Amino acid sequence: MGVAIRVIPCLDVDAGRVVKGVKFEGLRDAGDPVELAKRYNAEGADELTFLDVTASSSDRQTTFDVVSSTAEQVFIPLTVGGGVRTPEDVDRLLRTGADKASINTAAIARPEVINEITERFGSQVLVLSADAKKSDATPSGYEVTTHGGGRTSTGLDLLEWVAEAQQRGVGEILLNSIDADGTKAGFDLPMIRSVRSVVSVPLIASGGAGAAEHFPPAIEAGADAVLAASIFHFGEVSIGEVKDAIRAAGYEVR
């Protein structure tokens, strides 16, 4: 057996509250992040991911406070993303209690920052968050987008980008399908397979989970970890149910 599959709830945090929308629009309040984190910790989550969805400087301190409060009460790894631009940002997150930092837009703007962060802190602390959608404009048929949910096209081919990021030292890839995000119709399996074919680092699948049975196919397609947000926040599916489904499909879970 390989490494145990991780189940990761994602908390999209906006001004200190957890929010969730469909395709990043129409956000609705899903609760207090520290309370949700404690609940997920108790339910058996393997890790937690926090994304600061506004990431404006005014809300930045709020996010640090949330991370710090969570780290004091929850003892599973925390990944924090949104507005990570420099090695200094990563340093501050790690000091606040995060275990890993997630980078997206800043790495696209200046890919060298991946090297700078991983050379200083090690590959294990940096997750590349790649938001992508189907596109006829790129060789692979998938294009990387930025600015919270695919609002901005980059012209970057997804497969070229994840391969470059891995080469530059990123330790993990969080792959989010903008087309599937919030639809609850299942993960984007062709996209997961495509990315898996060009990278060897751990791959986290995100976007589209709506039921426990959606998770095993994502693993079969090549994901090492599976991430979801609203179905956990609103109690539609529990972490235990997801782990049972993964186990029943023959995969090892923690």
Side-chain angles (χ1 to χ4, degrees):
M1 293 293 290
V3 177
I5 301 296
R6 291 167 290 148
V7 178
I8 307 173
C10 179
L11 290 77
D12 296 314
V13 179
D14 182 3
R17 299 290 290 178
V18 176
V19 294
K20 189 60 196 169
V22 177
K23 297 194 197 304
F24 292 82
E25 292 161 15
L27 298 176
R28 59 178 175 154
D29 191 284
D32 174 72
V34 181
E35 290 308 310
L36 266 179
K38 283 164 69 177
R39 190 183 103 199
Y40 293 141
N41 186 50
E43 285 182 8
D46 298 301
E47 294 184 13
L48 290 171
T49 293
F50 284 93
L51 292 179
D52 180 344
V53 291
T54 45
S56 66
S57 53
S58 58
D59 291 329
R60 178 51 33 91
Q61 185 55 49
T62 309
T63 300
F64 285 121
D65 293 343
V66 166
V67 172
S68 177
S69 304
T70 303
E72 284 166 14
Q73 303 191 41
V74 171
F75 303 102
I76 52 178
L78 303 178
T79 299
V80 184
V84 173
R85 295 182 183 92
T86 64
E88 288 65 42
D89 292 335
V90 175
D91 186 50
R92 186 168 176 201
L93 281 173
L94 296 175
R95 290 175 189 275
T96 305
D99 298 275
K100 306 179 208 174
S102 166
I103 195 166
N104 182 343
T105 306
I108 292 167
R110 203 173 69 82
E112 298 76 21
V113 74
I114 295 174
N115 304 69
E116 293 163 8
I117 291 168
T118 56
E119 282 162 17
R120 181 164 161 190
F121 302 104
S123 289
Q124 77 285 347
V125 307
L126 192 63
V127 178
L128 179 79
S129 181
D131 294 331
K133 62 184 177 185
K134 294 184 188 74
S135 167
D136 297 329
T138 59
S140 70
Y142 298 109
E143 181 182 12
V144 178
T145 62
T146 60
H147 294 94
R151 284 197 285 276
T152 308
S153 292
T154 62
L156 268 181
D157 183 272
L158 172 64
L159 301 193
E160 292 174 16
W161 174 231
V162 293
E164 178 181 346
Q166 174 176 278
Q167 187 193 345
R168 288 182 179 276
V170 83
E172 196 162 28
I173 291 164
L174 168 54
L175 176 66
N176 186 46
S177 167
I178 297 302
D179 300 314
D181 182 73
T183 63
K184 300 186 182 168
F187 290 93
D188 189 331
L189 304 179
M191 184 186 282
I192 296 168
R193 281 190 204 99
S194 297
V195 170
R196 174 81 292 161
S197 71
V198 296
V199 297
S200 56
V201 294
L203 178 60
I204 306 165
S206 166
E213 61 265 24
H214 288 156
F215 290 85
I219 298 159
E220 188 184 341
D224 302 277
V226 284
L227 178 146
S230 56
I231 60 165
F232 292 146
H233 303 336
F234 299 112
E236 295 160 46
V237 179
S238 73
I239 290 163
E241 286 167 340
V242 170
K243 289 195 166 187
D244 286 344
I246 293 171
R247 210 177 275 116
Y251 300 102
E252 188 182 332
V253 288
R254 292 204 170 99

